[in-house]
Amino acid sequence: MSASLDQARFSRRAILKGGALTVGFALTVTPGTALAQSVAGVARRTDNTQVDAYLTVNADGTVTVYCGKVDLGQGLRIAIPQIAAEELGIGVDRIKYFEGDTALTPNQGRTAGSTGIQRGGMQIRQAAATARKGLVDLAAQRLNLKPDELTAADGEVRPKAGGAGIAFAALLEGRKFDLKLDPNAPLKDPRSYTIVGKPLPRPDVAAKCLGTATYIHDLTLPDMLHARVIRPPAIGATLVSVDEDSIKDLAGVKVVRIKDFLAVVADDEWTSVRAARSLRAQWSEASNLPDQSRLTQSLREASGAAAETLVAKGAPPSPAPQDAKALTASYFWPMQSHASLGPSCAVADVSADQATIWTASQGMHDNRVTYARFLGLPLEKVRLIYLEGSGCYGMNGHEDAAADAAILSRAVGRPVRVQWSRADELGWDPKGPPQLLDLAGSVDAEGKILDWRTEMWIPQTTKGLLNIPLLGPQAAGLDNIVGLNTGLISQNGDPPYEAAHMQVVVHWLKETPLRPAPLRSPGKPANCFAVESFMDELAAAARLDPVAFRLRGLKNTRGIELVKRVAAMMKWEPRPSPGPNVGAATALGRGISYIHYKHSETLVAMGMEVAVEQASGRIKVERVSCAHDCGQIINPDGVRSQVEGSILQTISRVLMEEVKFDRARVTSVDWAGYPILRFSDVPKIEIELVDRPSEPPLGAGEAACAAVGAALANAVFDATGLRLRTVPFTPERVKAAQSGKA
Amino acid sequence: MPRYRLRVNEGVLSVEADADKPLLYVLRGLGLTATKFGCGLGQCGACTIVVDGTAVQSCQMTVADVQDKAVTTLEGLGTAAKPHPLQAAFIAHQVPQCGYCTSGMIMSAAALLEKNGKPSEGEIRSALELNLCRCGSHTRVVSAVMAASGQRG
């Protein structure tokens, strides 16, 4: 293909020519491509205990911030500069920002668990505070004043009493800070903040709306080839034979086969797609998956599951009061896909002695260890560079695609771009694992919880596992990690309310049907769904109002405020559930839930109002009310955006999503088989953010997800008297519940 | 390979391509990478462009289908200096998270506003029903389209 007059391309190149994208305002974010070219070969100190790893003062009066956590659209690219600029004493428009490059940025751990701000951001705040103290000390010597007579502002240190200051760059005179992060470096008083707490725009947004953003999918390198990996038709099948003649009419296609790893590589992407579709290969038969219709039984009966008591507090009253109501219930959350809108993609340039891998993965430094291992290269010869991809919510196929690209680049001796298909992404991305929970408890007539027992059946994360087993290395017989990684999925199995006796037992499963990985708010959507649904079941049994029942057992004052706020937002009328609508053709109901994330982080109360169409079984969420307390808010619009996303994505998971499989393979491999939320399903959302400037900032990307399932289930119960305990709440499930089969 | 004359973003180009090559790959091959591959099945809307005023999914068309028709991609809608009202509104409302669906959303909305200058919220949702978003930016999308059409969003 050639273009004789290629205006469109030229105009795009002109936009990209400058390298760094300057968007929104002067804060610049440099995407991985330009970065690799502009600083290739520049050695940087990336020791994460050193200020220099995070901050560089430039001669032009700007400061560069290096962040090991990456921005997937959640807003770190503005929130981290806000934190750094505020603490250092410089305008945010004079911050330059680099993210996620193992050669340039410090190892701050995976961008996971909603820790970007609360851990990553706080390291950078401490680095900036240490740097400011160092700069003030330098200025004190130069100006012959005491440090406490000086202040850092607008990129200089100046006397508080007035008079000329000295710019940061002039104080350092080209030297590095050479300071260790000082945990005692004084932090600014939040009451003096002028940058933190402001809803500054995210710097990547404009480019995303103008079409000038460079995603991993858009990266091209000189001499780059396009590849498609062909996965087996059955999980665990081995490659018997390949008929290369089947694609002989496609010019320039190379077939790469390494043991059971099969791929086609071509100059042109479409040719690689055609080749992947046409290539005939024979695979062995395999049927390694369990019967999905018996999944909950097989989890419960799994052999070799070790039981562990996570919580054991108090004792149930003996004998139990006569008016006590005792209940048991089982809840199930299915396997779900990250269902990223764009299939995973990566580019790698690997030679015999070094590797550069561009990836949208949330883990840079730990993936580097994994990739160095299967490539057989020393760690320092492997460089990972982050480039944003289609949104990821834990660990989708990005890691695998990058491994595919690395294997293929090494095999063909040229840079290779691997793009997965839609079926690859929904079929082969690592899945959120299944979770089965049994609840038992009792409550007295006043609403005192006498007894609470949670028993869960969930796969156990293998100790010390940095990553997940990767498809490419596994198929190619390369050194690969073995084990399961699910994230911390046993948290929040106990209610955040007082109970005379509380016990949480987990049965740790050694296997799970499909390769698991952490999926947004790992485990907590299921656990909170069970715990907060069961709270409502107890309230209903005792004929108590669900809000009043929660407030009776809730002692956390921040939590109490949130529950009360949501009740006010919903104009909640105290009464037991179900409500007066039961039996209506379209039954309306309301429900509430609450979580204190991991019992130590963000607090969320959520209310839902639903309409249940009895004839069809269809649930429509009409309105969501959310009160959210993540401590000190760095950027309120960023938090709001994350909370909106958490709510909508989890409504989708609760109403629609379940990975389907037969004995050989995942069968829900397109958007018809794995539907997600559409515009017609989107409710009105009202969010109240509680800002607590004097408290530590906490994550905002996960906690709200956890509260969705129970609020929705409780609203359905309030509307219809039907208790849904199995996700997703499809119309078929509602109909089954109507006929007493759920 | 046959040669086709294309009108893309007000430029005229001549491209050689196999007759069955999806337009999406042709556009991306020209460097117009704002248009995204999502599924290749016409199910997600990530590759939506506007052809003669109608929003279409470019993965479901070939280059032959658009010969001599006016093709607009996100790059052709506006620029940083002169953004389309939808682009300005999407920026003002800080709509995208990952942004992978944004191009398709804006193009679907652009076709809607061409035909209906003041769509209701329901009409906006209907027009965008085929556009999927995984990050959950939907409410901001609707607000931004309302704002771009001079309505309170």
Side-chain angles (χ1 to χ4, degrees), chain A residues 140-459:
Chain A
Q141 290 169 23
R142 293 264 288 271
L143 295 169
N144 218 1
L145 290 166
K146 293 196 182 104
D148 62 8
E149 294 172 317
L150 296 165
T151 185
D154 300 332
E156 62 175 30
V157 181
R158 56 173 77 129
K160 285 178 184 167
I166 308 174
F168 292 168
L171 286 167
L172 284 171
E173 297 175 305
R175 283 166 300 158
K176 293 183 183 310
F177 284 105
D178 226 353
L179 293 170
K180 241 182 154 44
L181 249 63
D182 177 2
N184 299 316
L187 298 176
K188 279 193 177 165
D189 183 340
R191 284 172 299 189
S192 71
Y193 283 171
T194 58
I195 301 169
V196 163
K198 296 278 186 298
L200 300 182
R202 286 171 280 135
D204 47 323
V205 164
K208 288 171 175 174
C209 298
L210 294 166
T212 55
T214 303
Y215 289 83
I216 183 73
H217 305 72
D218 309 327
L219 174 64
T220 57
L221 297 178
D223 296 326
M224 186 183 84
L225 297 171
H226 292 267
R228 288 291 184 278
V229 177
I230 296 136
R231 305 284 176 210
I235 292 171
T238 55
L239 185 54
V240 177
S241 65
V242 180
D243 173 14
E244 294 200 28
D245 281 349
S246 58
I247 55 165
K248 66 175 186 297
D249 58 329
L250 288 171
V253 179
K254 182 177 170 56
V255 175
V256 176
R257 179 184 176 179
I258 307 168
K259 269 194 76 192
D260 298 320
F261 180 83
L262 180 63
V264 287
V265 184
D267 286 322
D268 166 71
E269 185 175 10
W270 176 239
T271 305
S272 72
V273 174
R274 290 176 67 197
R277 286 180 187 165
S278 305
L279 183 68
R280 276 203 295 270
Q282 197 190 340
W283 299 84
S284 68
E285 297 288 325
S287 55
N288 297 318
L289 300 180
D291 178 355
Q292 187 166 20
S293 67
R294 288 195 73 258
L295 186 58
T296 53
Q297 293 98 306
S298 59
L299 294 177
R300 209 182 283 280
E301 293 158 6
S303 59
E308 182 185 356
T309 300
L310 300 179
V311 179
K313 288 194 288 209
S318 177
Q322 287 203 331
D323 58 0
K325 304 276 187 197
L327 296 177
T328 61
S330 292
Y331 301 86
F332 180 68
W333 193 284
M335 277 173 280
Q336 294 179 328
S337 170
H338 294 73
S340 292
L341 196 69
S344 294
C345 180
V347 177
D349 186 5
V350 181
S351 63
D353 59 359
Q354 69 86 36
T356 306
I357 299 167
W358 287 263
T359 170
S361 165
Q362 294 174 220
M364 292 286 117
H365 289 80
D366 51 0
N367 284 341
R368 184 194 198 192
V369 176
T370 307
Y371 297 160
R373 191 166 129 173
F374 76 71
L375 289 169
L377 289 172
L379 196 62
E380 63 275 13
K381 294 294 183 188
V382 177
R383 178 178 184 185
L384 269 69
I385 302 172
Y386 178 75
L387 201 53
E388 193 163 354
S390 177
C392 181
Y393 315 94
M395 209 184 277
N396 64 358
H398 289 323
E399 272 84 354
D400 290 302
D404 292 342
I407 291 167
L408 287 165
S409 176
R410 185 165 67 175
V412 300
R414 284 170 64 176
V416 171
R417 173 187 184 273
V418 169
Q419 158 95 60
W420 281 19
S421 69
R422 171 52 40 202
D424 290 339
E425 189 69 31
L426 288 169
W428 291 92
D429 82 317
K431 305 293 189 285
Q435 291 175 260
L436 176 65
L437 296 104
D438 280 357
L439 279 280
S442 61
V443 61
D444 72 13
E446 276 78 53
K448 184 177 180 199
I449 301 170
L450 306 173
D451 187 21
W452 184 290
R453 296 164 205 253
T454 300
E455 216 173 337
M456 47 177 87
W457 285 261
I458 49 175

Side-chain angles (χ1 to χ4, degrees), chain A residues 646-657:
Chain A
S646 296
I647 291 168
L648 289 177
Q649 189 178 81
T650 316
I651 288 175
S652 177
R653 289 173 69 180
V654 171
L655 290 183
M656 303 176 181
E657 297 182 30

Side-chain angles (χ1 to χ4, degrees), chain B residues 118-153:
Chain B
K118 298 263 185 239
S120 67
E121 195 179 312
E123 287 168 334
I124 293 167
R125 287 177 182 238
S126 294
L128 294 167
E129 190 68 0
L130 290 177
N131 290 81
L132 297 178
C133 168
R134 185 53 165 167
C135 296
S137 68
H138 306 73
T139 52
R140 290 185 183 222
V141 170
V142 175
S143 299
V145 178
M146 293 289 280
S149 54
Q151 308 178 83
R152 197 166 154 267

